[in-house]
Amino acid sequence: VVLGHSSCGAIQATLEQMRRPVDLQSPNLRSIVERIRPGLVELVAGSPGDEDELLQQAVRANIRASVQQLRHGSRIIESLIDQEGLRVVGARYSLATGVVDYLEDTL
């Protein structure tokens, strides 16, 4: 299970860095941002006006991207998926409620 969570600071930082000119981006956040950014580029380009909604969509997009990376980033995991029935799924944990919601499109 790839488990993301609401109000994720890494996602918030990535969204903030993506809006800044390159010369004003933090070099200290670069390694985190570069891992997360690819899954958020399209989302930010078509960004909803509501910042909270953007953050929640970005959390889900990052979960999906991580699921895909795990499913297709390792021959060993790919083999376990194909031959042994391993499942890699995504879910979102709500810090406010403690509820875990599985992302249907990753099941």
Side-chain angles (χ1 to χ4, degrees), residues 84-106:
E84 303 292 329
L86 176 72
R87 292 178 60 194
V88 179
V89 299
R92 182 186 158 278
Y93 174 73
S94 171
L95 296 174
T97 66
V99 172
V100 173
D101 293 308
Y102 285 84
L103 279 64
E104 289 293 324
D105 58 345
T106 67

